[in-house]
Amino acid sequence: MTKPFFSVLLACLFSHGSAAYAAHAFSLYDTPKYPAGFTHFDYVNPDAPKGGELFLANPDRRTSFDKFNPFSLKGVAAAGVSELMFETLTTGSADETATMYGLLADDMELASDRLSMTFHLNPKARFNNGDPVLAADVKYSFDTLMSKGAPQFKSIFADVKGVVVVSERVVRFDFKTRNHELPLIVGGVPVFSRKWAQGTEFDRIQLTPPIASGPYLIDRYDIGRSISYRLNPDYWGKDLPVRKGMFNFARINYRFYKDDVARLEAFKAGEFDVSVEMIAKNWARSYVGRKFDSGELIKREFAHGNGAGMQGFIMNLRRDQFKDPRVRQALGLALDYEWMNRQLFFSAYKRIYSFFNNSPMAATGMPSTGELALLEPLRDKLDPAVFGPAPVPPNTDAPHSLRANLLQAVELFRQAGWTYRDGALRNEKGVPFAFEIMDDQSSMSRVISVYVRNLQKLGIQVTQRTADFALLQQRMDDFDFDMTSLRFPDVSTPGNELFDMFGSKAADEKGSSNYWGLKDPAIDRLVEALVKADTRPQLESAARALDRVLLNKYIVIPHWYSSTHRIAYRNRFGMPANLPLYYQANPYVLSTWWQVKPR
């Protein structure tokens, strides 16, 4: 399962750091790469032709949808509605971190005391009903998200005191603290019209098309089967430097498939145009045949510079059986990644070892001086192991072995009060150790089965359950699960979204990203230190310190990552000569490709 759009909106757009700003752009660390007066980003083709159609399959395994509001908690939003219809005051560049450029806003200024950020709205900005985008709409959007949107917004915007309409096209965000990331956070507020579904409670907006400012309009839809968007011929921002050469298709269509097998066969049959493949076995074995040999279908791996983030089996610490960290560590020892990578993944992956994997923010070895400066004041609240070497995932390559790992797991369970007797691992009351692993990906079943087989050797009773996306999302939002697999989006630089993922307050906010149920004052302090860091080195030290503490809590059994995007596509598209540094596959295709051959 991939974390849904609204809960990581700002994490995907922006990052963190210390101050440097200009009217057309704002950077927390460096001078913006693109100067005032720039015409387009380097990773687009400014002369890309407009027109043609793009057919895609349902992303994130959403097999249907029941709403066009991506910001409310309940329900499943239509594929594409967030990316194609809603815009923010600013937008990031995929070539740099911690930098934003004007989108709905054409001018921005940070107050000298860093306690407010003011934006001037572009007079050309228009909603898709023709109305101008005004400061009152920005305030309405922010206030609505805070009061009636999904719980994540309360965590992300927690340090925003309020929004002030200074004039018709000038809006000011006032801050509670000098949180350095706040200018970027408020620049990422999604904006929609006050007229959208007037008279309907925001969290009950279902199939009323958004009144928003993005490049596309909903054209037609068939719930459970498809949705199509058409390029707005009156799109206000088509000539902006941050939009030049982007969103080139006249129509974008999503078709929905019930499972991975049907989706893959439909791609090869020509029902849709682009397949982003996440399963190594499929990539190695299924993307072959006459159409690939002839060049009608192309199979390519696209390099990227993204940090790998975190993906793994996460545990709900609200459940009694997962409360002891020794138990959680023992469960991790039963995952034989090396065998899986050889036998199931065609040796295509690397092991995730950090919450900030593949980046300078990942904790390794002993704590640095910068880390110790943050950890020492919290020593009485931390496991002493935090001050030793950072934990590394267990290994089964010789001289290590699965048997040795399982024996270590047995000892950890014994220390935590669980012993094997009467055919099961039991506590002192005789209650067997049992839990459910739930997932929405049929392709994960073989992975889970291998893991369950090893858990059964320890006497653990595990139930596997595959649920559809909507049911799993509801269960996750209600924290009604034992264990599941989850992928958090890659971020170039962490920031306020960590309050939602790890903060104590978020643990009780249904719909938050604190799925594990962490409540730890030390972690809260470290997240605060990270968010308030003045320099990039300070940020990296805080991230490594936080990572070190999280790793020693064993709240996730890390999975694996790839350093490329695996994309197969029909040979009828043009794409820019230059790849961006930091990007996700689906938005890259949507926003920068164009049609050169008709279907």
Side-chain angles (χ1 to χ4, degrees):
M1 178 183 173
T2 301
K3 193 74 185 73
F5 166 81
F6 52 75
S7 61
V8 290
L9 173 70
L10 301 176
C12 292
L13 287 175
F14 305 116
S15 303
H16 179 87
S18 75
Y21 64 87
H24 80 292
F26 181 99
S27 177
L28 287 177
Y29 287 127
D30 306 303
T31 300
K33 174 181 177 179
Y34 297 96
F38 80 100
T39 58
H40 59 84
F41 291 136
D42 289 346
Y43 50 85
V44 305
N45 174 8
D47 300 316
K50 304 289 185 182
E53 288 191 90
L54 173 66
F55 286 83
L56 298 171
N58 46 305
D60 301 331
R61 294 169 176 83
R62 285 177 255 181
T63 57
S64 187
F65 60 92
D66 57 14
K67 64 175 184 174
F68 296 143
N69 181 355
F71 310 119
S72 57
L73 177 59
K74 294 183 179 180
V76 179
V81 69
S82 302
E83 300 89 340
L84 301 177
M85 297 198 70
F86 291 92
E87 292 185 320
T88 49
L89 293 167
T90 63
T91 186
S93 155
D95 274 348
E96 54 199 321
T97 63
T99 302
M100 63 183 182
Y101 297 84
L103 180 53
L104 289 172
D106 61 5
D107 186 37
M108 60 195 86
E109 183 176 2
L110 178 65
S112 58
D113 61 4
R114 300 190 65 93
L115 287 175
S116 68
M117 185 78 175
T118 302
F119 298 91
H120 181 273
L121 296 173
N122 192 321
K124 297 179 181 178
R126 291 288 185 276
F127 291 118
N128 53 32
N129 66 349
D131 288 349
V133 179
L134 302 176
D137 295 299
V138 178
K139 177 176 172 56
Y140 171 80
S141 300
F142 177 84
D143 291 346
T144 301
L145 293 172
M146 287 293 284
S147 61
K148 300 177 182 178
Q152 287 90 339
F153 291 110
K154 290 182 180 178
S155 295
I156 292 169
F157 299 133
D159 285 338
V160 180
K161 182 188 299 183
V163 181
V164 178
V165 175
V166 179
S167 65
E168 187 177 60
R169 285 192 170 86
V170 177
V171 61
R172 187 182 75 238
F173 289 80
D174 292 334
F175 306 147
K176 298 175 184 177
T177 67
R178 291 178 177 83
N179 177 330
H180 293 289
E181 194 190 20
L182 283 173
L184 297 182
I185 290 173
V186 297
V189 172
V191 178
F192 41 85
S193 171
R194 292 163 286 168
K195 295 182 180 179
W196 181 24
Q198 271 187 333
T200 302
E201 285 293 322
F202 184 75
D203 57 2
R204 297 193 178 190
I205 295 176
Q206 296 299 114
L207 296 174
T208 303
I211 302 177
S213 62
Y216 286 86
L217 304 168
I218 295 172
D219 188 42
R220 57 180 182 268
Y221 63 93
D222 183 355
I223 292 177
R225 295 175 63 88
S226 64
I227 183 169
S228 295
Y229 300 87
R230 61 183 175 87
L231 189 63
N232 184 354
D234 299 317
Y235 174 50
W236 75 275
K238 59 186 176 184
D239 294 321
L240 291 176
V242 296
R243 287 290 188 250
K244 193 72 173 175
M246 302 177 74
F247 299 107
N248 302 310
F249 295 101
R251 187 182 299 275
I252 294 175
N253 312 279
Y254 288 91
R255 290 172 171 168
F256 287 75
Y257 301 91
K258 294 298 183 183
D259 56 53
D260 291 335
V261 174
R263 184 184 294 110
L264 179 55
E265 292 307 311
F267 169 68
K268 292 194 286 188
E271 292 184 15
F272 62 95
D273 297 316
V274 181
S275 177
V276 179
E277 184 54 64
M278 307 300 292
I279 302 171
K281 177 183 176 182
N282 287 348
W283 189 248
R285 290 187 173 179
S286 299
Y287 289 81
V288 295
R290 178 180 55 81
K291 292 183 179 180
F292 288 95
D293 295 339
S294 69
E296 179 181 345
L297 295 177
I298 296 175
K299 173 183 176 179
R300 177 181 167 188
E301 296 193 27
F302 291 73
H304 62 74
N306 303 340
M310 174 54 74
Q311 173 184 310
F313 290 122
I314 70 167
M315 290 164 271
N316 186 352
L317 276 59
R318 302 171 186 85
R319 302 291 204 240
D320 287 341
Q321 63 266 46
F322 298 129
K323 290 186 182 298
D324 193 310
R326 293 168 297 188
V327 165
R328 303 194 294 267
Q329 182 181 1
L331 292 171
L333 286 161
L335 184 73
D336 190 347
Y337 160 75
E338 285 73 24
W339 185 93
M340 289 181 178
N341 198 32
R342 288 192 306 270
Q343 302 297 324
L344 303 181
F345 306 148
F346 296 81
S347 299
Y349 293 120
K350 298 178 181 179
R351 188 75 190 270
I352 287 176
Y353 57 89
S354 163
F355 285 84
F356 307 112
N357 203 74
N358 200 37
S359 82
M361 294 169 288
T364 57
M366 297 295 291
S368 66
T369 301
E371 292 171 63
L372 288 173
L374 297 168
L375 295 171
E376 283 292 354
L378 303 172
R379 183 179 280 272
D380 62 341
K381 297 180 175 66
L382 297 173
D383 185 328
V386 167
F387 296 88
V392 295
N395 194 308
T396 57
D397 283 340
H400 309 283
S401 68
L402 176 62
R403 182 177 183 275
N405 289 347
L406 293 179
L407 287 173
Q408 184 182 348
V410 168
E411 174 58 21
L412 287 168
F413 276 122
R414 187 195 64 76
Q415 294 173 16
W418 295 88
T419 56
Y420 185 88
R421 62 185 187 276
D422 299 327
L425 188 68
R426 301 176 185 274
N427 63 14
E428 59 182 10
K429 296 180 180 179
V431 177
F433 196 105
F435 64 92
E436 177 186 75
I437 302 179
M438 184 170 59
D439 204 275
D440 67 332
Q441 306 175 47
S442 59
S443 60
M444 280 295 292
S445 294
R446 63 192 182 119
V447 174
I448 294 172
S449 295
V450 173
Y451 180 44
V452 168
R453 184 177 65 204
N454 294 338
L455 292 172
Q456 289 171 339
K457 294 175 182 177
L458 296 169
I460 297 172
Q461 301 172 10
V462 184
T463 302
Q464 283 183 249
R465 180 177 182 184
T466 300
D468 63 36
F469 178 89
L471 175 59
L472 179 57
Q473 186 61 61
Q474 181 62 53
R475 292 273 299 270
M476 296 292 287
D477 288 340
D478 290 339
F479 306 135
D480 181 20
F481 73 98
D482 297 336
M483 180 185 287
T484 190
S485 62
L486 191 66
R487 173 173 175 74
F488 287 90
D490 311 326
V491 290
S492 301
T493 314
N496 264 42
E497 75 281 354
L498 298 181
F499 286 116
D500 187 56
M501 291 172 62
F502 305 119
S504 296
K505 291 181 180 178
D508 296 322
E509 288 275 1
K510 289 190 176 183
S512 81
S513 301
N514 191 340
Y515 293 121
W516 12 63
L518 272 178
K519 287 185 177 181
D520 189 315
I523 289 176
D524 294 339
R525 290 270 299 275
L526 290 171
V527 172
E528 290 171 4
L530 184 152
V531 169
K532 293 179 179 179
D534 289 321
T535 65
R536 183 78 189 191
Q538 287 178 4
L539 173 76
E540 291 178 355
S541 292
R544 288 194 296 269
L546 174 63
D547 192 34
R548 194 174 295 276
V549 174
L550 291 171
L551 291 172
N552 276 283
K553 285 189 171 294
Y554 299 97
I555 59 175
V556 61
I557 301 167
H559 281 181
W560 37 85
Y561 73 97
S562 172
S563 58
T564 63
H565 295 306
R566 296 184 290 247
I567 305 177
Y569 54 94
R570 310 198 79 74
N571 187 10
R572 64 183 202 88
F573 299 109
M575 57 193 71
N578 301 320
L579 285 171
L581 290 174
Y582 314 107
Y583 67 103
Q584 299 303 317
N586 278 315
Y588 169 67
V589 172
L590 282 176
S591 61
T592 66
W593 289 18
W594 63 91
Q595 179 176 297
V596 295
K597 298 177 185 177
R599 282 180 66 88

